[in-house]
Amino acid sequence: MSALQAIAPREASIFACLCDAVVAPQPPLPAVRATDAVRAFDAGLVAAPRLNRLALRAGLLALEVAPLALGFGARLRRLTPARRAAALARLDRCAPVAPLLKALRAMAHLSYYGDLRVLNELGHDPEAIVARAAALRGLEGRW
Amino acid sequence: MSAGTRDTGAHTYADGGGTFHPPERRIVAGAGIAGERIVTVDACVIGSGAGGAPVAKELAEGGLRVAILEEGDWHESASFTARPRDMMPRLYRDAGQLATVGTPPIVIPLGRAVGGTTLVNSGTCFRTPAHVLARWRAAFGLDDMTPAALEPYFRRVERELNVSQVPEALPGRNALLVRQGARALGLHGDFLFRNAKGCVGSGVCAFGCPTGAKQHVGITYVPRAWAAGATTYTGVRARHLVGNRRRVREVTARTAGGGTLRVRCEHVVIACGALLTPGLLRRNGLGGASGQLGRNLSIHPASAARAVFDEPIDPWDGVPQSYYVDGLAGEGIILEGITGPPDQAAMVTPGSGAVHRERMLAARRTGSFGVMVSDTARGTVRDVGGRPFIRYDLHGDDAARFKRGFEVLAEIYWAAGAREVVVPLAGVPPLRDGDSGPLRRARVRPSQVQAMAFHPLGTARAGADPRAAVVDGALRVHGTENVHVADGSVVPSALGVNPQITIMALATRLAHHLLGAPPPAGEPAPSRIA
Ligand SMILES: Cc1cc2nc3c(=O)[nH]c(=O)nc-3n(C[C@H](O)[C@H](O)[C@H](O)COP(=O)(O)OP(=O)(O)OC[C@H]3O[C@@H](n4cnc5c(N)ncnc54)[C@H](O)[C@@H]3O)c2cc1C
Ligand code: SF4
């Protein structure tokens, strides 16, 4: 993986864990670590406004410890998948953190499902679109 | 199907309409300006989107020396990857994360590039509805905004952009199913008119059209402006309007290279878009006298239902916004196509974990269609630390309209054979087997609506009365002599339809006014009007 620019390795690891929980990949879908989801999340944060970037990074750190506060007995990354899902469901009902979790979940879904292999697995082929476009541009005076 | 200039996008690229290759690309990258650069022109146009590009082109062709200042970059079609996840951070302001503060929070994506938001929009074209123009005349004293008076400007815009109806081969299966359902219910609908040429239905208009088929203003108006001598400065952010309260003599901009661009000019046209223009005006002490600057923000909130079918419909094949249903237009509701590749769908597909995964695994069988509501609520925008801070609360009546729109859309999808319909209203369970009962019985509050908005308008509204409007009927900032606005902020009320060609027609009209020229003559008449 190329070096991350916006997030620290610990935040990357929490994001991967969140991604795993909200995507719950099973064959034919690849595991999160086999995709470029974390790198894409990092790239999104690089282009985001500073305040959003700070809020999302802080949100990841808060998410990691929130299960302790909710009585789940361990941090997010140390919970079993089932307990992790239960902790996130509880956080969804917790007014102060719910909007942040919603934003992080949307970014996790976008980051994971934008991976080329995942897109192909679902029947979508962006490379074919780009190749056809290049051919058309070669034939006609398109921009 | 229509004929003549509004024929389908099948024309070759040599017929003179739409896409245009100038002899020279007159782009100066702000990244290369580290010190101070001074240029002198007749007109400085700030922003190169739906408003800025047409005004710049018309002024340049009218003989003025024009500089276009654009904060974003120039992008080649060849650099577009057809992958929403990767294009959003490159083409959208704030990576597409700009959102309202209010109930519910609503994301408002904006383009930031040469072409502005037209680079990433869906290409749908509607003229300003006649009843909206009637309201502008009655409520805002915009007496000459009649359909007949605006007709020449619309004709010009439609020719420049090759506005044409989506042909039968391109709408995609999702839209054809909606057409089938709407017809079964006797609801009026049709293929949309779009600014496209040589479209092959690759389904990623909102993430940079890789085929160069979408005729956004960055590949139509801007190159024609270059051919007439205008220069585009990219990566420059206009900050100061230097002069006195009546007359601006110079625009200064911060460049991406850390330098300063100073543009000395006779006319300033601000076209930064409805969320950024008020900040620029206010920072420079202009346009505030009426107390309306940054107010009256309408956003045309939009949401989309998803419908699962038994057979694959590959919703990403075809034009994503190709069909509309206007049977509810009288209630301020319009249904328009909205689909995209799986990563775009994943963001808005409800659920988490296994529930979300199963929905995504059914992506090939899942269609989606949008509900847009002509809003009654109004928001505000102000500049906080150089960024727009947007306050907006969805009105209860508008939440009720979303519910009504989704009820009709669910019936359309049932009539088309859908097995399940999911509406993005919190607390409403997925609808199954033709039963819309849970939706009908639900009481929907604004906080339950999951919406986005693509059409911010009205924050520097036009009107004859300087006590009630920011710009006058000629789009001149009240109280100034040479500062005009040509973007979505001048549109004085919600339109109920997509706004891009309204903005372009008003911008064209402004240019003709500044040139002292009559309305364009000799533009071909369309055989049909959207
Ligand atoms: C995803 C999406 C789909 C859409 N689909 C449609 C559609 O199908 N049909 C339709 O009619 N409308 C559509 N719209 C809306 C339409 O594109 C906009 O209403 C229209 O482009 C607004 O025009 P504008 O001139 O007000 O602003 P913009 O087109 O946004 O242009 C403003 C430009 O000014 C630049 N700028 C801002 N501040 C500065 C500064 N200080 N200095 C220099 N440059 C600056 C910005 O970077 C930007 O490029 C869509 C919008 C989105 C986001
Ligand atoms: S459908 Fe594809 S080819 Fe057509 S305008 Fe959109 S992105 Fe371009």
Side-chain angles (χ1 to χ4, degrees):
Chain A
M1 194 194 293
S2 58
L4 298 168
Q5 292 179 55
I7 52 175
R10 177 153 182 263
E11 292 153 358
S13 162
I14 299 169
F15 180 75
C17 169
L18 172 72
C19 212
D20 188 63
V22 301
V23 173
Q26 272 182 9
L29 296 176
V32 172
R33 65 175 176 285
T35 69
D36 60 1
V38 173
R39 186 206 53 75
F41 175 67
D42 182 64
L45 286 201
V46 169
R50 197 170 149 267
L51 217 60
N52 293 28
R53 192 160 52 237
L54 288 175
L56 290 166
R57 291 180 64 189
L60 283 173
L61 298 175
L63 216 57
E64 165 76 337
V65 294
L68 284 172
L70 293 176
F72 281 83
R75 292 163 185 255
L76 189 76
R77 283 181 295 168
R78 297 195 168 249
L79 295 175
T80 62
R83 303 263 300 153
R84 205 177 284 150
L88 291 178
R90 278 274 295 282
L91 286 168
D92 268 329
R93 293 191 298 274
C94 181
V97 284
L100 205 57
L101 177 55
K102 196 172 156 200
L104 281 167
R105 180 184 281 120
M107 292 187 82
H109 284 145
L110 175 70
S111 303
Y112 176 85
Y113 282 100
D115 177 80
L116 190 58
R117 188 173 144 204
V118 176
L119 288 169
N120 290 165
E121 207 58 70
L122 293 182
H124 183 56
D125 187 356
E127 290 188 324
I129 292 174
V130 170
R132 177 173 58 170
L136 283 168
R137 281 198 310 274
L139 285 172
E140 300 167 353
R142 298 173 184 245
W143 276 91
Chain B
M1 197 182 295
S2 59
T5 56
R6 295 166 72 91
D7 213 339
T8 72
H11 294 295
T12 69
Y13 275 77
D15 69 358
T19 305
F20 168 75
H21 291 276
E24 185 192 354
R25 291 187 182 190
R26 297 175 61 90
I27 305 177
V28 176
I33 303 176
E36 182 177 85
R37 184 171 303 183
I38 302 174
V39 293
T40 303
V41 293
D42 298 311
C44 177
V45 178
I46 309 172
S48 67
V55 87
K57 174 258 187 196
E58 297 290 341
L59 290 179
E61 289 186 348
L64 300 198
R65 292 167 301 161
V66 176
I68 308 169
L69 273 45
E70 170 54 55
E71 190 180 355
D73 289 327
W74 163 258
H75 296 274
E76 300 285 343
S77 309
S79 71
F80 298 152
T81 62
R83 294 169 68 180
R85 182 193 74 176
D86 301 340
M87 293 315 297
M88 261 164 32
R90 284 175 51 196
L91 305 184
Y92 282 83
R93 180 172 291 276
D94 294 348
Q97 294 176 17
L98 192 63
T100 60
V101 174
T103 306
I106 297 175
V107 171
I108 308 186
L110 297 177
R112 197 187 72 133
V114 174
T117 306
T118 73
L119 176 70
V120 292
N121 77 13
S122 303
T124 292
C125 296
F126 279 105
R127 288 191 184 187
T128 323
H131 70 91
V132 173
L133 292 177
R135 175 146 190 268
W136 293 2
R137 295 193 297 277
F140 302 104
L142 299 172
D143 296 337
D144 62 348
M145 297 250 188
T146 62
L150 292 179
E151 169 83 20
Y153 302 107
F154 275 111
R155 282 193 192 179
R156 165 143 310 174
V157 167
E158 289 160 356
R159 178 182 55 75
E160 293 290 359
L161 300 182
N162 199 58
V163 173
S164 49
Q165 194 170 25
V166 173
E168 187 78 34
L170 287 181
R173 185 106 178 84
N174 174 55
L176 292 176
L177 285 164
V178 169
R179 179 174 71 165
Q180 179 188 326
R183 282 181 173 171
L185 299 181
L187 284 164
H188 180 263
D190 204 350
F191 293 133
L192 286 158
F193 282 84
R194 305 176 70 240
N195 49 321
K197 183 174 185 177
C199 171
V200 292
S202 43
V204 284
C205 316
F207 307 99
C209 171
T211 68
K214 195 178 71 184
Q215 302 293 282
H216 67 84
V217 298
I219 59 171
T220 51
Y221 275 103
V222 171
R224 285 188 187 274
W226 294 338
T231 301
T232 304
Y233 294 84
T234 59
V236 300
R237 179 171 187 156
R239 295 182 60 79
H240 300 297
L241 308 176
V242 185
N244 57 41
R245 280 178 180 259
R246 294 197 67 76
R247 212 170 166 80
V248 169
R249 286 176 284 99
E250 181 179 298
V251 177
T252 65
R254 190 93 190 123
T255 72
T260 303
L261 176 68
R262 294 172 58 185
V263 183
R264 295 182 175 152
C265 54
E266 287 298 314
H267 303 284
V268 178
V269 179
I270 302 177
C272 302
L275 299 181
L276 289 124
T277 283
L280 184 60
L281 283 171
R282 191 176 298 283
R283 198 174 322 122
N284 289 282
L286 298 172
S290 65
Q292 300 302 319
L293 185 63
R295 305 175 76 91
N296 311 303
L297 171 69
S298 65
I299 62 172
H300 208 197
S303 190
R306 318 184 70 69
V308 184
F309 290 85
D310 286 328
E311 74 282 359
I313 60 169
D314 291 339
W316 40 78
D317 278 352
V319 176
Q321 194 162 81
S322 57
Y323 190 77
Y324 71 105
V325 177
D326 63 354
L328 304 177
E331 299 173 48
I333 302 166
I334 189 163
L335 312 183
E336 277 183 22
I338 179 162
T339 61
D343 40 349
Q344 183 192 359
M347 249 190 324
V348 289
T349 294
S352 191
V355 171
H356 188 272
R357 180 190 66 223
E358 293 310 308
R359 289 196 173 128
M360 286 308 296
L361 287 172
R364 285 193 69 188
R365 295 186 284 112
T366 307
S368 74
F369 216 77
V371 174
M372 281 198 278
V373 164
S374 186
D375 42 346
T376 38
R378 290 293 178 265
T380 60
V381 63
R382 61 192 168 89
D383 183 302
V384 176
R387 296 177 25 77
F389 177 83
I390 312 158
R391 273 283 304 143
Y392 185 93
D393 290 309
L394 190 71
H395 195 282
D397 291 352
D398 296 337
R401 287 205 190 105
F402 271 115
K403 181 185 172 210
R404 166 94 173 115
F406 282 129
E407 282 172 5
V408 172
L409 188 49
E411 295 308 319
I412 288 174
Y413 268 132
W414 298 141
R419 196 153 50 78
E420 181 184 81
V421 174
V422 181
V423 296
L425 300 172
V428 178
L431 310 173
R432 299 219 164 84
D433 305 320
D435 178 13
S436 305
L439 172 59
R440 269 199 308 276
R441 287 190 293 276
R443 217 183 122 239
V444 175
R445 294 188 197 84
S447 59
Q448 289 168 266
V449 179
Q450 290 165 37
M452 290 178 80
F454 306 97
H455 306 151
L457 299 171
T459 52
R461 73 182 180 195
D465 184 352
R467 292 163 305 176
V470 178
V471 301
D472 65 16
L475 309 188
R476 184 177 50 94
V477 176
H478 279 298
T480 70
E481 290 168 3
N482 70 339
V483 184
H484 290 77
V485 180
D487 61 25
S489 56
V490 301
V491 175
S493 73
L495 294 173
V497 295
N498 315 52
Q500 66 167 342
I501 66 167
T502 292
I503 297 168
M504 293 180 202
L506 293 179
T508 308
R509 176 176 165 273
L510 166 61
H512 281 247
H513 166 78
L514 289 176
L515 292 167
E523 295 290 343
S527 55
R528 276 191 56 199
I529 292 171

